[in-house]
Amino acid sequence: MASAPAGPDRVAVRKAAFASAVGNTIELYDFLIYGTAAAVVFNKLFFPSGDPWVGALLAFATFGAGFLARPLGAAVIGHFGDLVGRKRMLVITLSVTGVCTALIGLLPTYQQVGVWAPLLLVTLRLVQGFFLGGEQGGAVLMAVEHAPPNRQGWYGGWTFLGSPTGMFLATGAFAGATALSGDEFLAWGWRVPFLVSLVLVGVGLYVRLRLAESPEFAKIRQRGERARMPVAEAFSKSWRQILLSAGVNLGFNTFIFILTTFLLTYGTEKLDVTRDVMLLGSLCGSAAQIAGILLFSHLSDRLGRTRVMLGGGIFLALYAFPMFWLLDTADPALIVLAMTLGYAGSAAVFGPMAAFCAELFATKVRYTGVSLGYQSGSVLGGGLSPVVATALLGLSGGASWPIAAYLVIGALITVICLVITGEPTRWARADEPETAQV
């Protein structure tokens, strides 16, 4: 395995990977505190209903609404990221997403302003989702395109450390707000994690503004090889890669957003365990996923992206039913164990995905292609999964097996797309044979 470049180059590589991880942590914190709030707060304050499952369904629908804006954001921001540069667009996505999060923390409730409360909530959610649609693709490229040969998996994996780290911070913020506000949590305590986002955004902007532009983008800009219409070229020449990467991400996102959002409601409403138990499971799982991302990202540089991710996809399919068997015992220790194993095993798909997606596309359309593929899978998987799972639970009279079956179907889509894709770099070579690939 090739070593990292010496001297200033090594510093630049690590700085880019760290900046991608920090920025993505903040973006995911912003997005995931909404998912947590949808599970434990918004169904009571913004969508009051006599039936708690109806309120939860409406709250999760607004969670999904943010995902609907992601592909549009991926197309627009990805287009300009391939046209004017990765760094500039990443500063914009971080700033707007953070402001939207803080504004959600200031919203009046349904009791105060009636129907305007959910309307304002959905509007901010859509804007947030639009800009997040261009965040992760750009963060991935800043890490992978700075990385030396044979280390793209390792450094690309740093980007996705932002997801469990963001989840860890979001869960910890809600746990802290609960402890701080006590019985006043629904009155004002839930707002604190949203407002804290402004501090985190300031840190993220400081890191990103000090980062150099991607050397791969700088190279094609200097050579005059940028696409004139990146979004059009991505659709016309790389649509297969967009579909395959969307399919790969679909199964993973279905699984992970069941863990991060739906299970919080499932545990408190269906299993009648405390919110603290479910938050502890999320905290332990997030820590396990951080370790798993580092391990599997490193292995993907040695064994190949597809081989490692296939193992992860098979795990997701095989673990779905056992996970719910453990959860349905309603034993706190087994619930935490079930969630921790789910987070850890899913890292085999998640960790190498940054390099996997980047290697599918030619440099001149890479921001657009990665963003569209990744976010399309997020919509069909993560955006819909809490709503689908809540509906399945209601239709089945409270049985968990339809949700487990739903997770198996998603995992099989991931496995099939990985098998079809094979070695990701072969696709980029076909689109850009004259240019050296990342």
Side-chain angles (χ1 to χ4, degrees):
M1 183 170 57
S3 59
D9 287 340
R10 177 183 294 177
V11 173
V13 170
R14 292 178 176 174
K15 187 176 179 180
F18 177 73
S20 295
V22 169
N24 206 35
T25 295
I26 297 166
E27 294 284 359
L28 266 295
Y29 171 87
D30 289 347
F31 211 70
L32 291 169
I33 58 173
Y34 188 100
T36 304
V40 300
V41 175
F42 291 159
N43 58 330
K44 300 178 179 67
L45 298 182
F46 289 86
F47 304 95
S49 170
D51 186 339
W53 288 109
V54 172
L57 188 61
L58 291 172
F60 283 139
T62 65
F63 181 75
F67 279 85
L68 293 178
R70 282 191 180 197
L72 179 60
V76 174
I77 295 170
H79 172 84
F80 286 102
D82 284 323
L83 203 60
V84 302
R86 286 44 165 144
K87 175 182 174 179
R88 189 178 304 178
M89 301 314 296
L90 286 174
V91 169
I92 294 172
T93 58
L94 181 64
S95 302
V96 178
T97 306
V99 169
C100 286
T101 301
L103 289 176
I104 289 174
L106 297 173
L107 284 179
T109 64
Y110 187 91
Q111 186 178 8
Q112 294 170 319
V113 296
V115 72
W116 282 104
L119 286 177
L120 289 170
L121 181 65
V122 171
T123 300
L124 289 173
R125 179 65 175 165
L126 288 171
V127 175
Q128 186 190 53
F130 177 89
F131 283 92
L132 186 57
E135 160 62 27
Q136 288 176 312
V140 161
L141 298 190
M142 288 300 281
V144 173
E145 291 183 345
H146 273 87
N150 302 320
R151 299 299 300 276
Q152 290 93 353
W154 170 251
Y155 285 109
W158 284 33
T159 304
F160 288 146
L161 288 177
S163 181
T165 305
M167 170 54 72
F168 190 89
L169 291 176
T171 305
F174 264 95
T178 301
L180 176 67
S181 57
D183 294 338
E184 294 293 308
F185 176 74
L186 289 179
W188 61 269
W190 69 271
R191 299 179 184 274
V192 175
F194 288 89
L195 298 176
V196 167
S197 175
L198 288 178
V199 178
L200 298 178
V201 168
V203 174
L205 286 175
Y206 174 78
V207 173
R208 283 195 170 172
L209 287 170
R210 295 165 59 87
L211 187 64
E213 180 58 90
S214 154
E216 291 295 320
F217 176 79
K219 187 185 301 182
I220 64 168
R221 180 172 56 188
Q222 183 178 10
R223 293 175 177 174
E225 296 175 352
R226 285 176 294 174
R228 292 184 178 180
M229 286 293 292
V231 67
E233 189 166 327
F235 275 117
S236 64
K237 294 186 177 181
S238 303
W239 60 270
R240 296 176 184 84
Q241 295 99 299
I242 292 173
L243 290 177
L244 288 170
S245 55
V248 169
N249 196 30
L250 186 153
F252 165 76
N253 259 265
T254 300
F255 186 92
I256 203 63
F257 276 97
I258 291 295
L259 276 178
T260 58
T261 58
F262 172 76
L263 287 189
L264 294 178
T265 297
Y266 183 79
T268 55
E269 300 289 344
K270 172 66 167 58
L271 303 179
D272 199 27
V273 299
T274 66
R275 184 169 56 209
D276 290 341
V277 170
M278 304 310 296
L279 292 177
L280 177 61
S282 294
L283 287 171
C284 292
S286 298
Q289 193 176 57
I290 290 172
I293 286 173
L294 293 173
L295 170 64
F296 292 117
S297 297
H298 172 69
L299 287 177
S300 76
D301 283 330
R302 300 177 65 98
L303 304 177
R305 318 281 180 238
T306 304
R307 184 180 299 180
V308 173
M309 294 173 73
L310 266 175
I314 293 170
F315 168 83
L316 296 183
L318 294 178
Y319 184 61
F321 278 93
M323 180 174 72
F324 274 95
W325 295 338
L326 290 171
L327 291 168
D328 288 343
T329 64
D331 180 281
L334 292 180
I335 288 173
V336 172
L337 175 63
M339 296 178 70
T340 302
L341 291 176
Y343 277 100
S346 66
V349 179
F350 199 29
M353 194 180 294
F356 174 87
C357 290
E359 289 169 349
L360 284 170
F361 298 95
T363 307
K364 60 184 178 180
V365 298
R366 187 173 286 144
Y367 200 143
T368 308
V370 170
S371 297
L372 280 170
Y374 188 87
Q375 298 304 338
S376 296
S378 296
V379 170
L380 297 173
L384 293 178
S385 59
V387 178
V388 172
T390 303
L392 288 173
L393 193 68
L395 292 172
S396 66
S400 62
W401 69 263
I403 304 171
Y406 171 56
L407 293 181
V408 171
I409 293 170
L412 291 178
I413 293 173
T414 290
V415 169
I416 291 169
C417 289
L418 284 167
V419 171
I420 294 173
T421 302
E423 180 194 0
T425 53
R426 69 186 179 93
W427 297 89
R429 284 196 297 264
D431 285 349
E432 193 180 45
E434 78 282 357
T435 303
Q437 296 302 306
V438 171

